[in-house]
Structure formats: structure tokens, C-alpha cells
Amino acid sequence: VLTQQVADTERAFAKTMADRDAKAFATFIAEETVFFNAKGPVRGKAAVVADWQRFFVGPEAPFAWAPQDVEVLPSGTLALTSGPVYAPDGKVMASFTSIWRLEAPGVWRIIFDKGCDCPP
């Protein structure tokens, strides 16, 4: 049940990019999150949301992603998702790994996120 819940959350998170909805994107980000970009770690929700604004410019999403692997700790408090990142033409261009934390019943937020220019 938790594995499905996390997978569904990851898909809903990815849909914010497809929908070009930066405000909805922000709702999935934990306050103390760390996202990694080419320059290194970006710390905190406000900084991550600001850094990702560039991906929400324009009518078409620059990439999409989907969970391929989902693992949840037996405690049900942390989860990992990973999978492919797709270019607009549908070809795999990279992979991602995210760590999710259960912050309220049924509410998962990302605490770590890192992409890789490598296949999943």
C-alpha cells in the first residue's frame, strides 16, 4: 500500500511539470530539502523552487520522468523512487533518484533529489 502511495505521489509530482504548474510543484518539496544540480546542492524549499522556475518557462516541458523503482522502509517513514527522465521526444536522457519522507498521513515530500546524465 505505501509503495503504491509513493509511486502515485511521484507521478503526481511529475505531472506538475507536464501541467507547467510551478505552484503545485512546490507543494511536493519538504522545507529542509536538498536537490542537486550541476553546480552542487541546492538547500531548502525556497531555493529549490527558485532554481526550478527555469524548467517551468515556456509552453512545453523540457523533460518528464516516471518512477521505475520504489522502495519504502519497513517503518513507513522514508521512501526512495528512481527511474528514467525523458526528453520531449520521449527518448530517455537521464535518470533520477528521490528520497521521500512521510510528513503527515498520506503526505510524502521530497527531502533529497538527484539526477544523473546516465540511463536508469
Side-chain angles (χ1 to χ4, degrees):
V1 171
L2 287 179
T3 301
Q4 185 65 49
Q5 190 179 82
V6 172
D8 290 346
T9 300
E10 181 72 65
R11 282 189 281 276
F13 181 53
K15 189 176 183 307
T16 68
M17 179 65 69
D19 291 347
R20 320 304 293 131
D21 190 345
K23 188 174 179 180
F25 170 87
T27 67
F28 290 88
I29 310 298
E31 288 297 328
E32 62 179 346
T33 197
V34 178
F35 274 47
F36 293 85
N37 66 22
K39 298 174 189 165
V42 179
R43 299 176 187 279
K45 180 177 181 173
V48 167
V49 170
D51 186 54
W52 274 63
Q53 286 301 314
R54 60 196 158 110
F55 299 129
F56 288 92
V57 175
E60 187 176 318
F63 55 85
W65 69 93
Q68 186 173 47
D69 299 308
V70 180
E71 290 292 334
V72 180
L73 290 180
S75 65
T77 57
L78 292 174
L80 176 143
T81 55
S82 63
V85 177
Y86 302 98
D89 65 5
K91 293 181 181 168
V92 174
M93 61 184 264
S95 62
F96 76 92
T97 300
S98 298
I99 306 296
W100 295 82
R101 179 173 61 198
L102 185 65
E103 294 199 340
V107 178
W108 292 88
R109 292 208 172 88
I110 293 180
I111 55 171
F112 291 102
D113 182 84
K114 189 169 188 179
C116 176
D117 292 331
C118 52

